[in-house]
Amino acid sequence: MNIEKVAFGFFIVLAMTLNFGFFIGEFENPSHHHVYELFAAIIVNLIATVLKFGDRTQIGAIHLATSLVADLQLIIAAVVWAIAVHMSAAGLQPVTMASIVSLSGGAFLANVMSVIILIVETVMFRR
Amino acid sequence: MNSAIYLAMRRMRAPLLALLATYAISMIGMVLMPGVDAQGRPWHMSFFHAFYFLSYTATTIGFGETPYPFSDAQRLWAIVSIYLTVVSWLYAIGKILTLLQDPAFRQVVRSARFAHSVRRLSEPFYLVCGYGETGSLLVESLDHLGCRSVVIDINLDRINELDLQDYQNYVPGLCADACPPEHLTDAGITHPRCAGVIALTNDDNANLSVAIAAKLLNPNIMVIARAESQGVMTNMASFGTDHIINPFERFGEHLALAINTPTLYLLYEWITGVPDTPLMLPLYPPRGNWILCGYGRFGKAVARNITHKAITPTLIEADPTLTDCQDCIVGAGTDGDTLTAAGVKHAACIVAGTNDDITNLSIVMTARELNPELFVVLRKNLRRNDPLFNAFGADFTMQPSNILAHECLAILTTPLLSRFLALCRVQDNDWGNQLISRLSAVIGETTPDNWDVHITPVRAPAICRQLIRKKQVRIKQLLCDPANRLDILATLPLLLVRKQRVMLLPDDDTTLKKGDQILFCGDAEAARRQVLTLYNDNALSYVLFGREAPGGSVWRWVERRRDNA
């Protein structure tokens, strides 16, 4: 068993599960989507991205790309949230919440792809 | 650039993870700590504010406590997060700076930048391997002629020197071993614009591997290689290296040319010299007893090539066993005793040919003191010693790297010239005398230019059109001034190559055929005027028939009718 592989797999799967946790719930209902979950999802996604740095293989490149997509989507969701809460007069509207959740849904898809690649890679090398 | 990015990413992994972790912990803490707002109600910092607070705290900017004054719990956590994040920032910045200073990283960045600038070259360029005495001289001359070049050298000092040079065009330089093919590929050996590879390193094997790589990776380009040993020379010739130059042999041959047939040497110097410099005056080395100092590889080549019957050489060598020198006087030649033993008082000439400039100067200074009438031949090794050699004023100074560089330049810029010079070397003194007098009638006080004329549709379209119409064009018509055809341009045809036939000094009445290549020598102004005859139909027909050909279609029609009538 390789501790590096464990950490790598752990963070990638955790990124997906946290993302899913934030995503699941009633679409427009702010009480179903907690900001802490989004924060955790962003941090874990960023860690997963950094762990993927520096792999020169083709699979490594796609891994990094999916992670970057997830980061981008989640960070945009967080920025939208911050703008809604702090900068708009109306506060957090259901319509804004919907767009935040759908952004995180996109990120979730990217994370799922990342996990699939991880599984494919593991099956391919069978070590 | 790719590998530089990968290297940076891999090195930055740990500091980035540390930053992420400390930020995450500190932000969570700031959000969780209870605080109060302006009205004294319980308040928790949002993630947005926590990130804002940390961003200016971690980078040690410090805007204070926003948006409301902190509670003690928040201050407590602020202390923790300051130490956490500031330390991790310092760590990350330290890592970035180390990475930028890292020699391996810098080398990767430098070679990536080099490969990029080579890839972007859009003009023909020459790849010069080895930027020593010869290489730098060659690159300088190529730059002077407006040709681009790319340099590889294994020595970093020389590449730094290249960067400091003030060239017209940017010359990309890579500090690397020229042997690995990937370095050559980076340097553009497979680039479509690469016109030639010149291997001038002082390592025979490196030159050999460059020549082989060039022939395998890009078989169409011209390869010039320097080789010292006979084995490497035959090896290079076996796979078709275009030109192989042995510096020692060339130096010996050159010196011998000067001694045996001074006029041919003068001719050689005139034709290969840098244009627009004053013409070299003829030299007449004296006959009699010659003293050769230094019997290394250069000395051997000189001794072998001096075949003149009236010259009897005496050798002086410091280490006879190492250089396998029989029948010589042992000594450095820098002291009066050795020189007297070699008979300097009655000698006609001394050749100081060791590989050390200071020794050479010391030899000839001592020798001249003993015999002021002595004719002095000096070997100069390093260009930076120029002032010393100029101050001494030898009868004859020769620099091996200079000879090599001029030869390479002649091969690269006017390919016919090297063929002409090879033919010249086997001629005799009288032939040389005749040509010298013909040349001096044509050219002025300065060294002439050389140029090739190719009778092809691209290089001489007007002439080709006349040839298609079965009109005859003679060489003498290329010598007419297109402004006034009674004036003769200051130029002389030296060589005509027609398929496999080579005509040395072709007759002025020779008719031209398609595909002919002619080497001209003369002043640069003549070359410029001649171009008009080659390209412009009207100028050519004026030169041929003495009248302007009609330019427009109507006038051409009128002309045809008049001709028919």
Side-chain angles (χ1 to χ4, degrees):
Chain A
M1 196 179 74
N2 186 341
I3 195 76
E4 193 195 320
K5 292 281 170 216
V6 174
F8 191 68
F10 171 77
F11 275 104
I12 287 175
V13 175
L14 187 64
M16 181 186 70
T17 52
L18 283 172
N19 197 336
F20 180 69
F22 175 76
F23 175 68
I24 198 96
E26 217 169 274
F27 219 66
E28 299 170 350
N29 191 345
S31 59
H32 289 191
H33 309 281
H34 203 278
V35 70
Y36 281 22
E37 283 178 78
L38 181 61
F39 173 74
I42 292 177
I43 292 295
V44 173
N45 257 294
L46 285 173
I47 292 177
T49 313
V50 174
L51 287 176
K52 289 169 180 177
F53 272 6
D55 186 347
R56 305 185 74 152
T57 59
Q58 178 70 18
I59 284 185
I62 296 173
H63 248 314
L64 187 60
T66 55
S67 249
L68 288 174
V69 169
D71 289 345
L72 187 72
Q73 295 242 0
L74 287 175
I75 288 171
I76 290 173
V79 170
V80 170
W81 198 323
I83 290 172
V85 171
H86 293 279
M87 279 155 263
S88 79
L92 191 59
Q93 297 290 316
V95 61
T96 333
M97 197 65 224
S99 67
I100 292 168
V101 173
S102 55
L103 276 167
S104 82
F108 175 62
L109 213 58
N111 270 321
V112 171
M113 282 183 67
S114 199
V115 172
I116 293 173
I117 295 168
L118 182 72
I119 295 167
V120 168
E121 197 184 5
T122 319
V123 173
M124 224 166 68
F125 291 118
R126 248 180 267 172
R127 265 182 287 193
Chain B
M1 207 62 208
N2 259 341
S3 48
I5 292 171
Y6 280 119
L7 190 63
M9 277 178 149
R10 204 169 299 166
R11 294 278 178 86
M12 290 314 292
R13 219 189 260 177
L16 281 179
L17 283 178
L19 266 183
L20 273 174
T22 49
Y23 262 63
I25 295 167
S26 309
M27 272 169 81
I28 284 282
M30 285 314 292
V31 170
L32 288 177
M33 285 301 140
V36 286
D37 66 5
Q39 281 79 42
R41 287 172 302 190
W43 171 77
H44 279 275
M45 217 180 218
S46 72
F47 278 107
F48 173 66
H49 282 129
F51 186 58
Y52 175 57
F53 170 73
L54 277 174
S55 299
Y56 65 67
T57 314
T59 49
T60 70
I61 293 167
F63 282 154
E65 299 176 346
T66 52
Y68 310 118
F70 285 4
S71 69
D72 282 345
Q74 281 175 318
R75 287 192 182 140
L76 179 73
W77 188 252
I79 295 173
V80 175
S81 39
I82 285 169
Y83 284 104
L84 270 180
T85 51
V86 170
V87 167
S88 65
W89 257 116
L90 287 182
Y91 168 60
I93 290 172
K95 271 280 179 185
I96 293 171
L97 291 182
T98 336
L99 179 70
L100 291 181
Q101 297 292 318
D102 187 56
F105 181 74
R106 291 172 72 144
Q107 176 62 30
V108 167
V109 170
R110 214 180 289 126
S111 18
R113 206 172 285 161
F114 169 78
H116 181 72
S117 54
V118 172
R119 259 198 311 279
R120 270 192 16 223
L121 282 176
S122 54
E123 308 157 53
F125 66 93
Y126 298 105
L127 169 54
V128 180
C129 304
Y131 190 73
E133 283 285 311
T134 318
S136 55
L137 204 61
L138 179 65
V139 170
E140 197 183 311
S141 318
L142 281 172
D143 182 66
H144 189 72
L145 293 171
C147 298
R148 303 292 302 259
S149 38
V150 170
V151 169
I152 297 190
D153 198 295
I154 200 162
N155 189 338
L156 185 61
D157 292 344
R158 294 200 188 137
I159 294 297
N160 290 338
E161 197 180 304
L162 171 75
D163 290 338
L164 294 176
Q165 286 292 326
D166 196 15
Y167 289 135
Q168 293 176 44
N169 288 309
Y170 170 57
V171 178
L174 175 68
C175 172
D177 187 357
C179 295
E182 53 174 319
H183 293 163
L184 290 171
T185 320
D186 278 352
I189 206 168
T190 52
H191 194 291
R193 295 278 170 185
C194 183
V197 174
I198 303 111
L200 292 173
T201 71
N202 52 10
D203 176 3
D204 263 15
N205 287 323
N207 292 340
L208 183 66
S209 70
V210 169
I212 289 182
K215 277 292 156 201
L216 287 176
L217 296 175
N218 195 350
N220 298 325
I221 55 173
M222 185 196 284
V223 180
I224 303 175
R226 175 190 192 273
E228 292 173 8
S229 79
Q230 195 56 46
V232 173
M233 281 174 82
T234 38
N235 192 347
M236 282 175 176
S238 67
F239 57 82
T241 306
D242 300 270
H243 297 272
I244 303 155
I245 307 176
N246 182 332
F248 309 113
E249 275 309 313
R250 250 329 162 266
F251 180 75
E253 275 172 32
H254 218 68
L255 189 59
L257 197 65
I259 294 161
N260 300 334
T261 46
T263 52
L264 285 184
Y265 177 74
L266 188 65
L267 188 69
Y268 197 102
E269 284 294 306
W270 279 14
I271 290 177
T272 60
V274 180
D276 291 332
T277 50
L279 273 183
M280 195 183 150
L281 295 172
L283 263 181
Y284 298 103
R287 311 295 177 218
N289 194 8
W290 280 46
I291 301 173
L292 302 182
C293 295
Y295 196 64
R297 286 175 295 188
F298 277 103
K300 285 196 185 77
V302 173
R304 200 173 330 121
N305 282 293
I306 295 180
T307 51
H308 204 283
K309 288 190 187 69
I311 293 174
T312 47
T314 311
L315 300 171
I316 297 181
E317 169 57 48
D319 194 345
T321 46
L322 184 75
T323 53
D324 187 26
C325 177
Q326 283 131 18
D327 188 25
C328 69
I329 291 153
V330 182
T334 47
D335 54 311
D337 294 344
T338 327
L339 288 172
T340 316
V344 73
K345 296 231 164 82
H346 312 288
C349 174
I350 186 159
V351 182
T354 72
N355 58 3
D356 184 75
D357 280 348
I358 302 305
T359 310
N360 288 344
L361 284 169
S362 158
I363 291 171
V364 294
M365 282 166 79
T366 317
R368 251 209 190 148
E369 232 161 63
L370 293 169
N371 181 357
E373 302 295 308
L374 214 52
F375 187 90
V376 172
V377 178
L378 254 179
R379 171 181 162 194
K380 179 168 74 181
N381 296 290
L382 299 174
R383 263 202 291 169
R384 61 159 190 259
N385 288 331
D386 274 350
L388 298 180
F389 284 83
N390 291 343
F392 178 75
D395 296 287
F396 196 62
T397 309
M398 256 187 176
Q399 191 184 358
S401 54
N402 213 332
I403 298 169
L404 277 192
H406 273 129
E407 174 130 4
C408 290
L409 201 63
I411 293 170
L412 294 176
T413 53
T414 34
L416 288 183
L417 187 61
S418 54
R419 285 180 85 166
F420 172 74
L421 294 175
L423 289 172
C424 277
R425 278 191 211 115
V426 294
Q427 304 292 333
D428 60 9
N429 216 10
D430 295 337
W431 184 88
N433 250 331
Q434 273 179 21
L435 186 54
I436 286 280
S437 53
R438 278 183 71 185
L439 256 184
S440 38
V442 170
I443 58 179
E445 307 272 294
T446 56
T447 309
D449 244 352
N450 309 294
W451 64 94
D452 295 0
V453 170
H454 294 228
I455 308 296
T456 57
V458 180
R459 304 270 300 264
I463 292 191
C464 282
R465 279 193 283 270
Q466 290 293 345
L467 292 177
I468 288 168
R469 285 189 220 133
K470 304 272 183 249
K471 299 271 198 280
Q472 284 198 335
V473 184
R474 295 170 196 278
I475 286 186
K476 69 176 173 200
Q477 280 147 350
L478 292 182
L479 304 178
C480 293
D481 187 345
N484 177 3
R485 70 182 199 139
L486 298 177
D487 283 351
I488 301 297
L489 292 175
T491 170
L492 195 69
L494 295 178
L495 187 75
L496 188 146
V497 178
R498 178 174 294 167
K499 293 193 183 113
Q500 297 308 312
R501 269 183 67 209
V502 178
M503 279 180 248
L504 197 58
L505 302 181
D507 194 69
D508 283 357
D509 280 326
T510 315
T511 51
L512 294 175
K513 289 220 171 86
K514 204 175 159 187
D516 281 359
Q517 297 177 27
I518 311 152
L519 173 68
F520 283 95
C521 172
D523 72 30
E525 179 56 29
R528 270 192 291 280
R529 284 170 182 246
Q530 196 183 49
V531 167
L532 204 60
T533 321
L534 301 176
Y535 281 87
N536 190 313
D537 292 291
N538 294 351
L540 179 63
S541 75
Y542 166 71
V543 163
L544 289 178
F545 313 117
R547 56 174 177 182
E548 289 282 331
S553 316
V554 175
W555 287 112
R556 242 181 256 156
W557 177 76
V558 170
E559 176 93 346
R560 257 202 309 278
R561 298 215 36 166
R562 206 189 290 155
D563 279 357
N564 291 343

